[in-house]
Amino acid sequence: MRADGGAVLEVRDLVKHYPLTRGVLVRRQVGAVRAVDGVSFDLRRGETLGVVGESGCGKSTLARLLVNLERPTAGRILYKGEDITRLSGRALKAVRRNIQMVFQDPYTSLNPRMTVGDIIGEPFDIHPEAAPKGDRRRRVRELLEVVGLSPEHVNRYPHQFSGGQRQRIGIARGLALRPEIIVADEPVSALDVSVQAQVVNLLERLQDEFELSYVFIAHDLSVVRHISDRVAVMYLGRLVEAGTDAQIYDHPTHPYTQALLSAVPVPDPSVRTRRDRILLVGDVPSPANPPSGCRFRTRCWKARRRCAEVVPPLEVPEAFRESGGPAAHVSACHYAGERRVVPAGDVGDARDVRGAGDAGDVGD
Amino acid sequence: MSDALLEVRDLHVEFRTRDGVAKAVNGVSCSVDAGETLAVLGESGSGKSVTAQAVMGILDSPPGRVTGGQVLFRGQDLLTMGAEHRRRLRGDRLAMIFQDALSALNPVLTVGAQLAEMYEVHQGMTRRDARARAITLMDRVRIPAAKDRVGDYPHQFSGGMRQRIMIAMALALEPDLIIADEPTTALDVTVQAQVMDLLAELRREYDMGLVLITHDLGVVADVADRIAVMYAGRVVENAPVRDLYAAPAHPYTQGLLESVPRLDRKGKELHAIKGLPPSLVNIPPGCPFHPRCPRARDVCRTDRPPLFPVAPGRSSACHFWKETLDASRS
């Protein structure tokens, strides 16, 4: 909705394998954990792309790849048309200025021995061209104000702040260099609901103010819907479905997305009995030894022989290609079919919002 | 109220800390009937887990200390009964499920041995019989190939499976009441659904009372009959689940419900509750929520509101519960 077209980040067939080795003197590779295994998407200017998935699906590895904390095994990440995975030295440093990260745990991502002022000002030491030396103190105080903390707190240490306040400090640090893209890995999952709402609102306000593009990675599907323009669902290192928030939440076509959505508890006791619940059996397979074909087939109620033999591509399923409508979005399933699993809440209210969302998304 | 399975009356718990005395629980009263599911909802530091620990008698003390109140289990006060008597009730009549199964289970004993121990200690069974019962129990909580896995250690199970073993252990002696402290918080949502489903089903089958301690408004809406909302060591609202979600009678509850993003619709801005929960060392006078409350007036800063009856089975600790309720109904 806020997005105005052009892609700032193009991710193509991104792969990250971590080798598994055996032996002490002669180490030989016996396999690999396929944390990210062929992920492609575009991040458009000014939009929020939500990435959801359960633990072990590779979403945090994806975040680290995007900000160049890890080098991919294969694939490309194009920032304004330039492949940043092969950059080094000065060129890499310049790119990093524009792609910043906010981490999950506000307790371990801030150095306990540094004052808040030093933490937020540290990016300026690394990128001195971003702010002249005499100006840094002022910039830091300004940043504190922007994220809703008192500039007087500049000399305090992280332990003097609550979890929500620490996350604001992490956000201020991410903003210091005026990046274009912020990759946020579970930025609110460590926070209580009342504080979580404050931080989510802050992220949305900052996005408008600084024209940021977000990659918002989280396991909480409700938060992701709230903040995202588009949503991508990940399972065992691959994207299984992607689309606008209304397409994914109200018209999911991939069985995994349907199961995931149907399992989320909704804070409304009146829908308890009339919900379509899909209970998956078993656990997520190991990413070191993923199933052949479709990776979800071992837990899928629709699985047939073809699912074990052919990897389903991430594209608009044939069934919906002609008809169009909100179900026509990319979904990596041979037998994709629409199934409504999110119950309509307070009917009147919800309809209004959804109608507006659909109208805006048709051209997508 | 006399036929309640568990009744907590005016419970107080304090912790000695470096910064002073932290008043973690300040007069909590609530009750659970047989076969009922009570959700105790609160954010971190609200005193919900400490209340559970005080009820079970597993409070870390020192530094923790129960400084007042009663915990009546079938009319008997657990706090004044002898330690041996209380120990026999624990596990047998009331049991607990913890959040983190990996740290709650003994890592150097097989799960079979830990389950069998329940029968050996409480019922004097032989080792062989107890082991057979352990396998039945693992089957009961749907652990695949229970017979082969009874000799495995906790780390060999996935998070969801470990939580099932904890449930099995709590169920072993068919207690009357289970207290579950954030039983699914560490789990992924698809696994959480499996575990909550199992817990609810077994609760029905054994007709047990269940106290579910959680911070998740969604989980509460899914399984609970009644809910007690805690803030700064007190119950601020107590109501049947449907009534509370339909129209909260306390501004804190109202704020919580409005600050949760919804799966089923895309709102605009979230209604955040301003400010932070108070420090337990320095709880504000009067109503502890008044510094964050949009309805606060002078009386809220000076007078502590008791739990006012709102309707049968429903109460709210707000001086202005009536206008809060009217506002949330409109």
Side-chain angles (χ1 to χ4, degrees), chain B:
Chain B
M1 276 286 170
S2 59
D3 57 347
L5 183 59
L6 179 81
E7 191 182 351
V8 177
R9 285 188 191 158
D10 199 29
L11 185 72
H12 290 259
V13 181
E14 293 179 354
F15 283 84
R16 277 173 204 287
T17 70
R18 261 195 314 196
D19 305 323
V21 176
K23 296 185 169 163
V25 178
N26 301 296
V28 163
S29 300
C30 60
S31 71
V32 201
D33 293 338
E36 184 185 46
T37 301
L38 170 75
V40 177
L41 180 96
E43 299 183 279
S44 24
S46 63
K48 56 191 193 302
S49 292
V50 174
T51 303
Q53 287 165 9
V55 168
M56 287 300 289
I58 54 169
L59 201 63
D60 275 334
S61 76
R65 203 159 60 93
V66 177
T67 53
Q70 289 178 302
V71 177
L72 304 175
F73 181 72
R74 294 193 181 281
Q76 287 180 291
D77 190 354
L78 294 176
L79 297 177
T80 54
M81 81 174 40
E84 180 55 26
H85 188 183
R86 192 171 187 187
R87 199 176 68 80
R88 274 205 306 273
L89 281 181
R90 200 160 45 215
D92 190 43
R93 296 297 93 214
L94 55 160
M96 187 152 176
I97 297 170
F98 298 90
Q99 172 175 353
D100 182 3
L102 195 55
S103 59
L105 296 172
N106 189 334
V108 298
L109 291 178
T110 64
V111 298
Q114 294 183 63
L115 288 169
E117 191 184 14
M118 301 290 290
Y119 297 110
E120 290 170 35
V121 171
H122 282 275
Q123 299 185 342
M125 266 189 204
T126 63
R127 188 160 281 190
R128 175 188 296 239
D129 290 349
R131 190 181 156 89
R133 287 292 292 272
I135 294 170
T136 322
L137 207 53
M138 286 171 70
D139 266 333
R140 194 69 207 75
V141 295
R142 297 196 207 110
I143 290 176
K147 221 177 184 150
D148 305 325
R149 302 214 66 184
V150 67
D152 283 356
Y153 291 89
H155 75 268
Q156 291 170 292
F157 291 85
S158 68
M161 288 297 150
R162 278 198 289 267
Q163 211 59 26
R164 285 164 196 262
I165 289 163
M166 288 259 290
I167 292 174
M169 200 174 280
L171 280 174
L173 305 172
E174 301 185 14
D176 303 322
L177 178 72
I178 288 191
I179 299 178
D181 189 359
E182 304 267 11
T184 57
T185 305
L187 305 177
D188 275 318
V189 32
T190 56
V191 183
Q192 165 173 299
Q194 295 168 357
V195 171
M196 276 323 294
D197 236 53
L198 175 71
L199 192 58
E201 181 198 312
L202 294 169
R203 193 211 59 71
R204 267 195 308 276
E205 197 181 308
Y206 292 91
D207 197 31
M208 296 177 297
L210 175 66
V211 178
L212 180 72
I213 293 172
T214 180
H215 68 279
D216 189 326
L217 285 152
V219 170
V220 174
D222 260 359
V223 300
D225 303 313
R226 256 178 346 107
I227 174 172
V229 181
M230 285 190 71
Y231 186 79
R234 287 176 197 163
V235 173
V236 294
E237 185 167 4
N238 192 336
V241 162
R242 274 168 190 269
D243 298 353
L244 182 131
Y245 281 77
H250 194 285
Y252 174 62
T253 319
Q254 195 175 26
L256 273 186
L257 284 170
E258 285 174 354
S259 62
V260 188
R262 295 283 300 246
L263 189 68
D264 49 4
R265 57 177 173 226
K266 193 179 181 83
K268 293 200 180 75
E269 197 174 354
L270 294 176
H271 292 267
I273 303 177
K274 65 177 183 185
L276 299 170
S279 149
L280 297 174
V281 178
N282 189 13
I283 295 176
C287 170
F289 187 59
H290 83 253
R292 306 176 73 189
C293 183
R295 291 184 189 280
R297 292 179 218 165
D298 285 344
V299 62
C300 306
R301 290 178 250 281
T302 51
D303 295 9
R304 173 180 166 186
L307 271 171
F308 297 103
V310 169
R314 181 159 195 201
S315 51
S316 161
C318 175
H319 292 297
F320 303 103
W321 63 266
K322 208 167 172 23
E323 50 176 269
T324 309
L325 192 61
D326 290 344
S328 55
R329 271 183 185 145
S330 65

Side-chain angles (χ1 to χ4, degrees), chain A residues 154-303:
Chain A
V154 69
N155 290 321
R156 292 200 185 174
Y157 289 88
H159 75 265
Q160 292 170 295
F161 293 89
S162 70
Q165 288 172 323
R166 284 185 221 205
Q167 203 53 301
R168 289 172 191 265
I169 296 167
I171 292 168
R173 175 176 61 186
L175 278 177
L177 299 169
R178 293 292 183 95
E180 282 179 77
I181 299 167
I182 287 189
V183 178
D185 185 10
E186 302 269 11
V188 296
S189 14
L191 309 175
D192 275 319
V193 263
S194 72
V195 178
Q196 174 181 303
Q198 296 172 358
V199 175
V200 167
N201 286 341
L202 171 69
L203 285 169
E204 295 199 300
R205 183 168 64 72
L206 294 174
Q207 178 166 47
D208 292 342
E209 213 172 307
F210 297 97
E211 295 171 345
L212 296 162
S213 309
Y214 286 146
V215 177
F216 190 95
I217 293 173
H219 70 278
D220 184 326
L221 287 123
S222 307
V223 173
V224 167
R225 170 159 214 185
H226 180 81
I227 201 164
S228 304
D229 302 305
R230 287 190 307 134
V231 178
V233 183
M234 237 179 135
Y235 186 78
L236 265 188
R238 296 230 176 105
L239 295 187
V240 295
E241 188 167 5
T244 64
D245 77 277
Q247 286 171 341
I248 298 295
Y249 286 78
D250 299 332
H251 308 277
T253 64
H254 195 286
Y256 177 63
T257 312
Q258 291 162 355
L260 197 61
L261 285 171
S262 84
V264 178
V266 171
D268 182 354
S270 66
V271 304
R272 204 190 275 186
T273 47
R274 55 184 171 90
R275 264 194 96 176
D276 179 14
R277 275 237 145 144
I278 305 165
L279 278 185
L280 288 180
V281 284
D283 288 310
V284 184
S286 159
N289 187 19
S292 65
C294 171
R295 298 189 167 187
F296 183 59
R297 70 177 166 83
T298 53
R299 301 171 79 197
C300 184
W301 63 96
K302 284 184 172 176

Side-chain angles (χ1 to χ4, degrees), chain A residues 12-61:
Chain A
R12 294 289 174 268
D13 304 315
L14 202 61
V15 174
K16 179 69 187 177
H17 290 181
Y18 293 98
L20 292 170
T21 56
R22 192 168 286 163
V24 182
L25 288 176
V26 188
R27 283 161 67 92
R28 57 198 170 86
Q29 191 174 334
V30 292
V33 174
R34 302 167 169 205
V36 173
D37 211 10
V39 167
S40 304
F41 62 85
D42 284 355
L43 177 68
R44 298 172 199 163
R45 191 177 308 282
E47 81 165 344
T48 301
L49 175 71
V51 179
V52 290
E54 298 182 282
S55 38
C57 74
K59 57 192 194 300
S60 290
T61 305

